Amino acid sequence: MSCYIWNAPTGISPIIVNTVTSAGYSITQGSVRMKENDQTGTIWDCLPITEKAKDEINYKEMNYEVKINQFPGLFSIGRKDHLWINYERMRAKFGGEYFNFIPETYILPRDKEDLISEMKKRQGKPWILKPPNWFCGIGISLINSIAEIPEKRNLFCVQEYIDRPFLIKGLKFDLRLYVLLTNLDPIRLYVYEEGLVRFATKEYTNNPDEIKNNFIHLTNFSVNKNNDEFVYTTNPGKYDGHKWNLKTLWKYFDEELKIDWRPVWEETKDICMKTVLCGHEHLSREYNRLIRSDYCCYKLFGFDVFFDSDLKPWILEVNNIPSLHVNEIDAFVNLPMVSEMFNIVGLHLSRDIGKSQRILEEKLSLPKQPIGTIGCNYKLYTRIKTEREKNKILNYSQISVEDGRTTILNDLTPADIRTLVQTEDEFSQTRNWTRLLPATKEIEYLPYLSKPDYNDRLLEAWIQKYGRSEKAREEGVQILQDLCQQGKHLHD
């Protein structure tokens, strides 16, 4: 039945295949690029190994029933050079006190003279050379002399190498964390409370004679698995092997190091949020320009995070297509992570369900509905605004956030109700995913948005009123249920 089919290119992760087929779907593998307007249902897209500086997906012509794991403009944080440019802009605007979590980076050939000047001041200091658009440690090397700066005109990022890492059993490590973006208008962002801890396989030293030993300095699994000394971890919770799950690291902090990891984790989540906000201006502009339905897009990121010797977290890079491996420790983290992610983003059946609707109703013991009413309804996600909705948005664009916060929830429009319902629906499915945005804590995140859109302000006011406690949330959900039962989410 076509309503149960997923579309995907060949070679997708078995983690995705297992999760999708266990839910009763079939996967059709083949080309998905530039055919988005011909397809309905769900697409799991996998980019090539290189991250390009333009979109290759025909977002503007995408069918409103399509659900794809992409957003337009993701290269703004997925490419190392674009991430640094956007980070620099945010740091200049808000100051180094709040944006001091990406190592100093030089983009070649643009910044070559500045890099040479800095290397002369800090002779012998190691730097890490990275292609801006490659993954899995490909093309990465350490340098400590001006003579090693590439002469080619190709783009490179040269990043300050943090040579005082926090060590576990003498080994350098980093974290692979998962961040989920489900919307940009308003922005909704989550982080998974589990992750992977990836160790180097040689004891750390900053001896210049060992600068080219990648088994000491790089933590990428794709690099270290080639070391004969690499040990696969088979038992989550045990302090052995070269890859742990995140909760084993926290357990190690508690039991062996006697260090409270919670403040470190909160700071780590904060810089993950700010990293996505570095790309918000471009992402939001492209989303509003190209996307016709709020149903269509979501994105799973892989964030690489590093702790220095003071347990200060640093963002190393953002992966737009994170590897979802199937060995024991990866599957232990990734299978429940992906399953819960799909519950959060919410997947509708296609409207062409037709006679299959009766089969589905029987299997799920659902009451019979008119044919076509179970499938995806574009009215629930349309971005087209009525005149009343346009006027309300215009009025609040002329009012400060502070002044508008007390009244914006008055006289909710159908579009307002749909936005709030989608937000509460997503949140109701979270178990090990934690919502970062909109924030429930007393943090001011709206100023970090390039331009707080109306829906961001609406959601911020809603969360401040109904998101601070379970009792308040139940009250808010009841209000939305009553409005939906009256049909207010679809018409005035």
Side-chain angles (χ1 to χ4, degrees):
M1 293 179 284
S2 62
C3 57
Y4 298 133
I5 292 177
W6 277 48
N7 301 284
T10 56
I12 65 172
S13 167
I15 296 288
I16 300 298
V17 174
N18 179 286
T19 305
V20 169
T21 55
S22 294
Y25 290 88
S26 299
I27 295 181
T28 298
Q29 297 193 34
S31 175
V32 298
R33 290 295 175 81
M34 306 310 291
K35 295 182 180 180
E36 294 84 358
N37 58 324
D38 297 329
Q39 300 188 35
T40 59
T42 305
I43 298 174
W44 182 264
D45 183 53
C46 301
L47 285 170
I49 194 68
T50 55
E51 177 71 59
K52 298 186 178 180
K54 64 177 182 178
D55 291 314
E56 293 190 341
I57 296 171
N58 189 6
Y59 290 103
K60 200 162 189 178
E61 299 301 321
M62 189 180 292
N63 190 302
Y64 71 85
E65 294 185 52
V66 166
K67 189 81 162 180
I68 189 169
N69 61 321
Q70 299 286 10
F71 277 93
L74 286 172
F75 56 83
S76 60
I77 58 174
R79 280 182 61 107
K80 301 173 187 68
D81 51 347
H82 284 256
L83 174 59
W84 176 252
I85 290 168
N86 288 316
Y87 171 82
E88 275 192 306
R89 176 179 49 80
M90 293 290 277
R91 186 172 63 176
K93 183 175 181 180
F94 296 103
E97 179 183 356
Y98 301 103
F99 283 82
N100 182 28
F101 53 82
I102 296 180
E104 199 69 22
T105 302
Y106 296 85
I107 301 172
L108 302 183
R110 186 194 75 174
D111 302 330
K112 185 174 181 179
E113 293 306 315
D114 291 336
L115 174 62
I116 290 173
S117 176
E118 189 65 22
M119 291 182 76
K120 285 180 178 178
K121 295 176 187 176
R122 307 165 74 182
Q123 292 193 15
K125 162 77 178 174
W127 299 80
I128 188 162
L129 181 70
K130 302 178 179 181
N133 57 338
W134 289 86
F135 302 102
C136 299
I138 299 173
I140 293 180
S141 62
L142 266 67
I143 63 174
N144 61 0
S145 71
I146 293 172
E148 294 177 283
I149 297 176
E151 292 293 339
K152 298 178 181 178
R153 302 299 296 174
N154 296 25
L155 278 172
F156 280 96
C157 290
V158 181
Q159 194 173 75
E160 180 178 1
Y161 180 71
I162 301 171
D163 54 6
R164 293 174 53 251
F166 190 87
L167 303 177
I168 299 288
K169 299 181 179 182
L171 299 177
K172 183 179 173 181
F173 68 94
D174 76 354
L175 310 182
R176 164 53 59 88
L177 305 177
Y178 297 104
V179 173
L180 174 64
L181 179 66
T182 62
N183 207 305
L184 281 162
D185 183 22
I187 187 167
R188 294 197 292 264
L189 191 69
Y190 304 81
V191 65
Y192 197 58
E193 293 288 339
E194 259 285 20
L196 296 167
V197 184
R198 306 174 303 183
F199 290 90
T201 46
K202 287 284 188 181
E203 187 170 326
Y204 182 76
T205 176
N206 54 15
N207 184 338
D209 294 338
E210 295 284 0
I211 194 172
K212 300 301 181 183
N213 190 331
N214 286 344
F215 295 145
I216 293 174
H217 296 288
L218 301 187
T219 53
N220 306 72
F221 168 71
S222 55
V223 172
N224 284 282
K225 69 179 182 179
N226 297 316
N227 187 347
D228 292 338
E229 298 177 17
F230 184 88
V231 176
Y232 284 89
T233 305
T234 57
N235 297 308
K238 300 294 184 181
Y239 307 139
D240 53 24
H242 290 104
K243 189 184 284 190
W244 297 355
N245 62 305
L246 181 60
K247 289 185 178 178
T248 296
L249 179 68
W250 300 148
K251 179 184 172 188
Y252 188 86
F253 272 48
D254 283 335
E255 295 183 350
E256 303 296 324
L257 302 178
K258 310 301 181 185
I259 294 175
D260 184 3
W261 51 269
R262 292 161 188 82
V264 181
W265 181 229
E266 289 303 313
E267 187 177 356
T268 300
K269 291 191 286 188
D270 182 66
I271 67 172
C272 288
M273 176 193 74
K274 288 177 180 174
T275 300
V276 175
L277 294 183
C278 286
H280 181 264
E281 181 174 354
H282 180 77
L283 288 166
S284 179
R285 182 172 61 247
E286 292 302 286
Y287 186 80
N288 288 322
R289 184 174 70 90
L290 296 172
I291 301 301
R292 298 182 298 166
S293 168
D294 281 325
Y295 175 69
C296 289
C297 298
Y298 68 101
K299 188 62 190 175
L300 175 67
F301 299 102
F303 275 56
D304 293 345
V305 176
F306 174 80
F307 295 156
D308 67 19
S309 59
D310 296 321
L311 280 177
K312 172 181 168 56
W314 297 84
I315 297 290
L316 298 182
E317 61 183 68
V318 177
N319 292 274
N320 279 346
I321 297 291
S323 300
L324 299 172
H325 296 296
V326 293
N327 53 56
E328 288 90 340
I329 200 69
D330 292 81
F332 176 80
V333 172
N334 291 334
L335 277 170
M337 180 272 294
V338 167
S339 178
E340 187 177 327
M341 175 187 71
F342 288 143
N343 287 336
I344 291 170
V345 301
L347 304 173
H348 286 284
L349 296 173
S350 169
R351 280 210 310 163
D352 65 5
I353 185 172
K355 295 180 180 178
S356 301
Q357 179 173 323
R358 296 294 180 232
I359 300 173
L360 183 65
E361 289 169 343
E362 182 178 345
K363 283 185 176 181
L364 299 179
S365 301
L366 298 174
K368 288 187 177 181
Q369 302 288 336
I371 295 294
T373 56
I374 286 184
C376 185
N377 183 349
Y378 77 93
K379 293 180 181 179
L380 296 175
Y381 301 95
T382 181
R383 309 198 74 234
I384 300 173
K385 299 293 189 286
T386 65
E387 286 303 313
R388 179 189 165 214
E389 290 164 348
K390 290 177 183 177
N391 288 335
K392 187 178 180 186
I393 292 170
L394 178 61
N395 289 340
Y396 277 88
S397 70
Q398 300 167 354
I399 302 173
S400 70
V401 172
E402 292 74 18
D403 291 340
R405 185 177 289 128
T406 58
T407 59
I408 196 170
L409 296 178
N410 299 341
D411 192 24
L412 294 173
T413 68
D416 291 344
I417 298 168
R418 292 194 299 270
T419 294
L420 298 174
V421 166
Q422 291 159 20
T423 301
E424 293 293 351
D425 275 351
E426 286 184 3
F427 188 73
S428 72
Q429 298 303 307
T430 57
R431 303 296 182 269
N432 289 309
W433 283 95
T434 295
R435 189 169 64 190
L436 296 178
L437 293 173
T440 55
K441 298 180 180 179
E442 288 282 2
I443 63 169
E444 288 288 338
Y445 69 92
L446 288 183
Y448 292 135
L449 302 183
S450 54
K451 175 180 172 292
D453 288 327
Y454 170 83
N455 282 331
D456 293 303
R457 296 174 60 179
L458 173 77
L459 208 50
E460 190 258 0
W462 177 266
I463 296 300
Q464 294 302 313
K465 186 171 184 178
Y466 296 111
R468 296 297 187 83
S469 68
E470 187 60 32
K471 182 179 179 181
R473 183 170 178 269
E474 289 175 359
E475 180 185 348
V477 169
Q478 187 60 57
I479 290 171
L480 295 177
Q481 288 177 342
D482 292 343
L483 290 169
C484 289
Q485 287 173 356
Q486 299 170 42
K488 297 291 187 180
H489 62 305
L490 295 178
H491 52 77
D492 289 322

